[in-house]
Amino acid sequence: MDFSTALCKLLGYASERLSLKPRDAIYARNTVLMVLGKESCEPRQEHYAGEPLSSLLSVLTEDAPEEERERLQDAVMGALMLTPSQVEEEFSKRFEHSPAEATQWLYDYSVASDYVKKEKLDKNPRFTGKNGLIVTINKAKPEFRDPKKAVSGNSVKGGYPKCSICRDNEGYFPRGKRTLRTVSFMMADGKWFWQFSPYGYFFQHGIAVNECHTPMHVDANTFRALLEFADAFPHYFIGCNAPLPSIGGSVLAHDHFQGGGEVLPMFLAKPAIKLAHKDFPMLEMSVLDWFNTVVRLEGKDPEKLVEAGERVRKLWVSYKDEARGLIPEDENGVHHAVSPTVFLKDGKYCLNIILRSNITSKEYPDGVFHAHPEFHIIKKESIGLIEAQGLFILPGRLEAQLAEVKEAVKKGALPEELKDFRMVYEELLQREGDLDARMEDELADICERILKNTAVFKTHTETAEFLKGAGFYVNE
């Protein structure tokens, strides 16, 4: 396929999938030529016939330097799309009828524009372990084993845009955001916007971002905002990372939430210990039967949920127990925070509050309540909101490395270059059954152990005992 044919087919694709109007086709074609530094093409009566979008874009950018192709392809697609205001209008019309219909339209449009890299995402290995945890290997996402590099990888030097999730990124060519489209909504504390994640970790993974560039925080207003979001988008869950380095998101400078259409494993967890409180007889409360430390609050009254959640948060952020290594603040800063998440179930709000700590020690310099060193070959990055709820995103390098470990098991010897996988190798030898299934069981089991590492209280009884400090008691 030559350049002119590919461009004509791409215009047909845009007409079919991106709402490009016939009257705008010539203008769009000339804009693509400008983006690619071309002066002419041969208009042809070519029709889009289902060719992969990636193939058409590859033909158009094959003369460009390899390191520039992805950004140029993004700019080409941006030239064929609806403008941000047109996307906002289409979304709003659908939202009045159905929030789920509106988000489905925006997601489909983001896939069609190649902002959401679904073709790549569909190639990521994914399975659910016997313990209920979901394990994925994200081949498109770079691995940040150093938390400082993770933060720098999501910041922007030079002051514009202020960070990687500011709305100023919409259409910003240097960051490959020509296809980014966002939609607005209001919450009690002001204007927010929603965008989908290009390398989503789960179904319709998106980000709700405060239009005001203000640091991440969790307080009563955060709980209130999460509950308001659930009212507006009842088909989505929504959550907030702990606003601290190493245990939260990498973009700590800008207030934002994450959510989407996935039912995460933690949502299916049952109560381990039922709780009560004299001030909240209308709420169902429990210590969750989960691998890390979670308090669940359920009910129909959002203000009571906010009040109860704030009692838990305030107790935790000031809680000190040196025997357990729980130190809320020292010369290195604050170490305790919560990570709340909300979804609707049976007509009630379900507010989960995960207790987190990023305290370090000589034995655990990366974090006492982080993945311990023996698991770093599998996962050293921060255990954030999504993984804390049971969906693990493992680095892409593992696909090839674990295939080599399986070959070593077949041969009965682990080569020196795979020595860091000694634990995985030896535990595979102890498992029975098909080797692929054994590897899945091993990965899911390691992810469970990592979650237990992050638990600030190691038993449900300890968690219930802690909560007595805020007036909660075991409901026999």
Side-chain angles (χ1 to χ4, degrees), residues 4 21 24 38 96 146 250 303 340 375 379 416 436-437 439 468:
S4 295
K21 295 179 180 178
D24 295 326
K38 303 282 188 179
E96 290 178 6
D146 182 342
S250 52
E303 281 306 314
F375 306 126
K379 181 72 175 179
E416 178 63 21
D436 290 338
M439 180 61 82
K468 289 181 179 179

Side-chain angles (χ1 to χ4, degrees), residues 120-121 123-127 134-141 391-400 402 439 443:
K120 292 182 178 179
L121 293 173
K123 296 177 183 177
N124 288 335
R126 172 180 168 135
F127 67 90
I134 301 171
V135 180
T136 68
I137 293 178
N138 196 313
K139 297 189 289 184
K141 174 182 174 289
L391 193 160
F392 270 76
I393 303 98
L394 303 183
R397 60 175 170 81
L398 286 176
E399 185 176 42
L402 295 178
M439 180 61 82
L443 287 178

Side-chain angles (χ1 to χ4, degrees), residues 236-305:
Y236 277 172
F237 83 87
I238 191 71
C240 180
N241 258 307
L244 293 177
S246 301
I247 58 170
S250 52
V251 188
L252 298 177
H254 196 147
D255 197 20
H256 68 284
F257 305 146
Q258 291 188 68
E262 188 91 12
V263 177
L264 295 179
M266 194 176 79
F267 301 170
L268 305 176
K270 305 295 183 183
I273 299 176
K274 293 185 177 181
L275 302 170
H277 195 294
K278 66 179 180 62
D279 294 337
F280 308 109
M282 71 297 294
L283 301 182
E284 296 174 44
M285 300 171 287
S286 62
V287 175
L288 203 61
D289 186 12
W290 189 242
F291 307 109
N292 51 25
T293 307
V294 187
V295 181
R296 175 172 286 177
L297 310 174
E298 297 178 82
K300 294 185 177 182
D301 188 329
E303 281 306 314
K304 290 299 182 182
L305 285 164

Side-chain angles (χ1 to χ4, degrees), residues 16-296:
E16 184 177 313
R17 307 278 181 88
L18 298 175
S19 302
L20 178 67
K21 295 179 180 178
R23 178 64 183 86
D24 295 326
I26 294 173
Y27 183 86
R29 181 175 66 218
N30 289 334
T31 302
V32 170
L33 291 175
M34 179 191 70
V35 166
L36 297 175
K38 303 282 188 179
E39 294 187 357
S40 65
C41 73
E42 296 179 31
R44 295 174 181 170
Q45 296 301 314
E46 294 282 354
H47 299 284
Y48 175 67
E51 294 87 352
L53 178 59
S54 57
S55 298
L56 300 178
L57 292 172
S58 293
V59 172
L60 294 180
T61 57
E62 62 185 358
D63 293 337
E66 187 172 351
E67 64 274 11
E68 282 293 310
R69 288 174 190 169
E70 186 169 340
R71 191 160 55 170
L72 284 173
Q73 290 173 8
D74 176 74
V76 166
M77 294 305 296
L80 305 176
M81 295 175 66
L82 296 174
T83 65
S85 65
Q86 290 171 328
V87 167
E88 189 99 60
E89 287 176 19
E90 290 293 329
F91 181 86
S92 296
K93 281 190 289 188
R94 288 167 172 80
F95 189 87
E96 290 178 6
H97 178 258
S98 164
E101 178 186 324
T103 53
Q104 183 66 55
W105 176 82
L106 181 62
Y107 180 77
D108 290 342
Y109 196 82
S110 299
V111 170
S113 70
D114 202 38
Y115 183 75
V116 173
K117 308 295 182 183
K118 192 171 186 302
E119 188 176 335
K120 292 182 178 179
L121 293 173
D122 287 345
K123 296 177 183 177
N124 288 335
R126 172 180 168 135
F127 67 90
T128 300
K130 293 176 181 177
N131 54 10
L133 298 181
I134 301 171
V135 180
T136 68
I137 293 178
N138 196 313
K139 297 189 289 184
K141 174 182 174 289
E143 180 182 15
F144 292 107
R145 303 190 74 186
D146 182 342
K148 293 181 180 179
K149 289 185 178 180
V151 172
S152 67
N154 284 281
S155 64
V156 177
K157 297 177 181 179
Y160 181 85
K162 289 181 179 178
C163 78
S164 62
I165 60 173
C166 278
R167 204 165 199 175
D168 289 336
N169 287 282
E170 195 169 35
Y172 189 60
F173 175 74
R175 290 189 63 79
K177 298 293 185 180
R178 293 293 298 164
T179 53
L180 171 61
R181 298 293 185 269
T182 67
V183 291
S184 308
F185 64 96
M186 292 293 296
M187 289 202 284
D189 58 349
K191 296 179 180 178
W192 287 62
F193 63 92
W194 173 265
Q195 66 185 64
F196 286 107
S197 172
Y199 295 108
Y201 301 155
F202 51 84
F203 179 63
Q204 293 194 13
H205 179 189
I207 308 168
V209 187
N210 193 330
E211 278 204 14
C212 179
H213 184 85
T214 187
M216 281 192 68
H217 60 281
V218 175
D219 54 23
N221 283 332
T222 307
F223 296 136
R224 191 170 289 111
L226 293 172
L227 293 164
E228 287 181 5
F229 183 95
D231 283 335
F233 300 90
H235 56 297
Y236 277 172
F237 83 87
I238 191 71
C240 180
N241 258 307
L244 293 177
S246 301
I247 58 170
S250 52
V251 188
L252 298 177
H254 196 147
D255 197 20
H256 68 284
F257 305 146
Q258 291 188 68
E262 188 91 12
V263 177
L264 295 179
M266 194 176 79
F267 301 170
L268 305 176
K270 305 295 183 183
I273 299 176
K274 293 185 177 181
L275 302 170
H277 195 294
K278 66 179 180 62
D279 294 337
F280 308 109
M282 71 297 294
L283 301 182
E284 296 174 44
M285 300 171 287
S286 62
V287 175
L288 203 61
D289 186 12
W290 189 242
F291 307 109
N292 51 25
T293 307
V294 187
V295 181
R296 175 172 286 177

